[in-house]
Amino acid sequence: MIRKLECYEPSTIELVGSHVCSATAKSRDYYRHPAQDVAHDVFYHYPMIVDPDGSLWAEANRYLLSRLNGFVPVKHRTLESIAGDLAHFRRWLLEEEIDFLSISARPRARPTYRYCTYLHDEIRQGKLKARTAKRRMSSLQNFYRWLETEGFKFAHPLWLEDEAALMFRDARGFQRRKSVKSTDLTRSFRVVKSNDDYSEYIDDGGKLRPLPKDEQAALIQALKAIGNTEMTLAFFLALATGARLQTVFTLRRQNFLDEPYKGAVSHRIKVGGGTPVSTKYGKQMVLLVPLFLYRRVQIYMNSERCHQRMKLSKHIYPEDGDQYLFLTRAGQPYYMAENDPFALLYRSPPRGNAVTQFIRQQLKPELYRHGYEFEFRFHDLRATFGMNLLESFVNQMSKAETHLVVKADMTKALMLVRSRMGHTSIRTTEAYLNYREKYRVALDLQSEYEAYLESMLNEVNTDDME
């Protein structure tokens, strides 16, 4: 991993603004000209693939560099994922002593098909998920496609390819169709999607589980017992706004400096693109922080505990308001924004690992100590917020007199929940409504059936069971 990759073209010709670089004693100095093939001159946290002998895998690293050519360069985490897939392929090549450029006349002897077979073996042994295998094969195919554009000639096809029609719904809910390239290699990995209508999870950027009211209460009591102020406020912010981990922990002090409008019950905080607060895909949205929570955060910001952590921080920003709202005991951010100028100081910038560690080492043991053994992740708080919000609307609409009013209000509720949670597609928001209707019905039916079984069992003579 290169923390800071500088891209330029070396030249012996001096241009206006050229920067001279000193070479070795046996060679002459050269000038650095702006690179013409990449969008930016500097990239942070750039991955490279290195062979066991310390040498670079030239073709793969050139391919990674080519991914920086777009007007909007690929994000470093995406590039790191691609590099990881290719590194996995490289290790397999070296173990099997296979030349990735040697394409046999026999299809099953070609590197692409042999690697595909290997991935299927890993799946059967439970070492790999089909989704991961499909992604790795896709990364490999893109690499080979790039090789062909670079002039590499292969005597035989690397796979069988055809066009496939993909049906989907856009952000407004309209049915759309687009053509995609499909190969026999990627099609061989069948990723079975769960069709469990009564699942306890909601698909919202991952499998999320809304916490029932009793588990929410237990969670709050456990946080109170532990006494970690940063975690308590962060959890409440997630429960009250539906913000993801990356958003909660990249909030800055400046977001809580303003005085709310007179009579306001919440305070608006803009996050996403154009702000220092991170969101998924940089999506712009507004968090509505309840006034009671906003005031508690302001009290925390003026506390000795908060100022002590700020003093320990090695990141000195132009303004105090640019500092992260929550810092660890060592003065480091829990989650570092991608546009943070200090990110290059870290080989792997903080990405919420300390939060996960807190949940695993402190919060869950405290819950277990009080008899609660439910599983949860920080991201589940987002689904909990969405369900709580929808429940509030449904309770309000229960007073409606006509079916038409209920239907109109439900549509309004979905639109409002969608806006508050920043959903691109209305289908994601509808999943919360479907969850409420189907999962609750399933629980009621299960409860009734269990009561019926219990009554039947009570009629059995206990003497007959001895």
Side-chain angles (χ1 to χ4, degrees):
M1 181 71 69
I2 298 178
R3 297 183 184 181
K4 182 179 180 181
L5 175 68
E6 298 183 74
C7 300
Y8 60 87
E9 294 182 2
S11 175
T12 57
I13 302 175
E14 182 179 8
L15 300 177
V16 177
S18 295
H19 177 67
V20 64
C21 299
S22 297
T24 62
K26 296 182 180 180
S27 59
R28 58 182 294 182
D29 292 345
Y30 61 93
Y31 299 96
R32 292 169 56 164
H33 293 175
Q36 302 298 318
D37 296 333
V38 294
H40 300 287
D41 297 333
V42 178
F43 295 89
Y44 297 109
H45 300 102
Y46 179 82
M48 301 188 75
I49 302 176
V50 183
D51 282 335
D53 62 1
S55 63
L56 295 174
W57 184 13
E59 294 84 0
N61 284 295
R62 285 178 53 206
Y63 168 64
L64 293 178
L65 193 61
S66 73
R67 296 300 301 263
L68 305 180
N69 294 349
F71 290 107
V72 180
V74 63
K75 293 184 179 297
H76 74 85
R77 298 186 72 179
T78 302
L79 198 65
E80 186 175 351
S81 176
I82 296 172
D85 292 338
L86 294 181
H88 183 271
F89 176 59
R90 184 61 167 178
R91 284 191 291 269
W92 174 80
L93 289 172
L94 296 175
E95 291 173 0
E96 299 295 327
E97 298 182 351
I98 296 173
D99 180 2
F100 73 101
L101 296 177
S102 178
I103 309 301
S104 170
R106 293 189 303 110
R108 298 303 170 186
R110 297 166 192 169
T112 48
Y113 283 96
R114 291 185 63 179
Y115 184 62
C116 184
T117 300
Y118 165 73
L119 293 178
H120 277 288
D121 289 340
E122 292 286 284
I123 294 173
R124 280 191 290 270
Q125 296 175 24
K127 299 179 181 179
L128 194 66
K129 293 184 178 179
R131 189 183 303 276
T132 303
K134 188 172 184 177
R135 188 202 67 219
R136 286 179 175 169
M137 183 55 64
S138 179
S139 296
L140 178 61
Q141 290 179 160
N142 290 333
F143 171 54
Y144 271 108
R145 289 188 180 106
W146 174 83
L147 287 174
E148 291 182 315
T149 63
E150 288 295 298
F152 287 84
K153 303 297 183 181
F154 300 107
H156 305 282
L158 299 167
W159 52 74
L160 299 179
E161 185 173 278
D162 52 25
E163 294 283 336
L166 179 64
M167 306 300 295
F168 67 99
R169 291 186 180 273
D170 61 17
R172 297 182 179 180
F174 294 108
Q175 188 91 0
R176 300 296 185 189
R177 173 181 176 177
K178 68 176 181 180
S179 296
V180 295
K181 290 183 178 180
S182 175
T183 72
D184 58 337
L185 296 178
T186 53
R187 284 198 303 269
S188 67
F189 300 103
R190 298 295 181 184
V191 180
V192 180
K193 294 184 178 181
S194 175
N195 193 29
D196 185 2
D197 288 337
Y198 301 108
S199 171
E200 61 176 338
Y201 296 97
I202 295 176
D203 190 357
D204 184 1
K207 296 295 184 181
L208 310 186
R209 186 180 73 88
L211 303 183
K213 291 295 175 62
D214 61 326
E215 293 183 4
Q216 295 179 48
L219 192 64
I220 293 172
Q221 289 300 318
L223 287 169
K224 181 180 178 180
I226 294 171
N228 186 315
T229 309
E230 291 76 18
M231 289 293 104
T232 300
L233 291 175
F235 273 65
F236 267 91
L237 282 167
L239 281 170
T241 66
R244 292 181 169 87
L245 184 148
Q246 67 192 95
T247 301
V248 172
F249 287 97
T250 54
L251 287 169
R252 310 304 174 100
R253 292 178 63 84
Q254 61 178 279
N255 298 126
F256 294 84
L257 293 177
D258 295 336
E259 187 64 23
Y261 296 112
K262 186 177 181 179
V265 295
S266 62
H267 187 75
R268 296 166 58 89
I269 297 179
K270 293 182 179 180
V271 297
T275 76
V277 184
S278 299
T279 58
K280 188 175 182 180
Y281 304 131
K283 184 180 181 63
Q284 292 181 331
M285 56 184 299
V286 174
L287 302 182
L288 297 181
V289 182
L291 201 56
F292 75 87
L293 183 55
Y294 187 83
R295 293 298 190 194
R296 292 293 292 269
V297 172
Q298 287 183 321
I299 294 174
Y300 166 73
M301 287 170 53
N302 294 318
S303 68
E304 178 61 27
R305 178 187 176 102
C306 182
H307 286 294
Q308 184 62 31
R309 297 193 175 207
M310 288 179 60
K311 290 178 182 178
L312 294 175
S313 176
K314 298 179 181 179
H315 308 160
I316 308 301
Y317 297 92
E319 302 289 341
D320 286 345
D322 297 333
Q323 182 59 272
Y324 292 94
L325 175 62
F326 301 122
L327 298 173
T328 66
R329 285 185 296 179
Q332 294 183 350
Y334 288 93
Y335 195 107
M336 182 165 275
E338 291 188 1
N339 59 355
D340 193 304
F342 295 103
L344 64 93
L345 299 178
Y346 298 83
R347 186 184 183 279
S348 297
R351 289 289 183 263
N353 293 335
V355 181
T356 304
Q357 188 176 13
F358 167 78
I359 293 174
R360 183 178 65 251
Q361 296 182 356
Q362 296 187 55
L363 192 52
K364 286 186 177 180
E366 181 66 24
L367 288 167
Y368 295 158
R369 194 167 69 86
H370 290 85
Y372 293 96
E373 299 185 4
F374 59 88
E375 290 294 327
F376 78 96
R377 299 172 301 161
F378 188 91
H379 205 26
D380 291 334
L381 301 179
R382 172 174 169 80
T384 304
F385 162 78
M387 192 56 60
N388 287 344
L389 190 62
L390 188 59
E391 285 284 355
S392 297
F393 285 124
V394 172
N395 291 338
Q396 292 178 12
M397 289 185 294
S398 63
K399 302 177 181 179
E401 296 181 359
T402 67
H403 176 72
L404 292 177
V405 172
V406 172
K407 186 174 182 180
D409 285 347
M410 184 59 73
T411 302
K412 180 180 178 181
L414 285 175
M415 292 300 104
L416 194 51
V417 172
R418 176 188 181 186
S419 175
R420 291 287 299 275
M421 300 194 70
H423 289 152
T424 300
S425 173
I426 188 64
R427 295 186 67 185
T428 305
T429 313
E430 289 174 344
Y432 283 82
L433 181 60
N434 295 336
Y435 176 92
R436 180 184 180 277
E437 294 177 349
K438 296 179 179 178
Y439 185 58
R440 293 292 178 83
V441 169
L443 287 180
D444 291 341
L445 291 176
Q446 180 69 16
S447 178
E448 291 179 6
Y449 182 65
E450 290 176 355
Y452 167 74
L453 288 179
E454 183 180 7
S455 66
M456 295 294 290
L457 182 60
N458 290 336
E459 295 180 4
V460 178
N461 192 333
T462 54
D463 293 337
D464 296 337
M465 301 176 63
E466 296 180 354

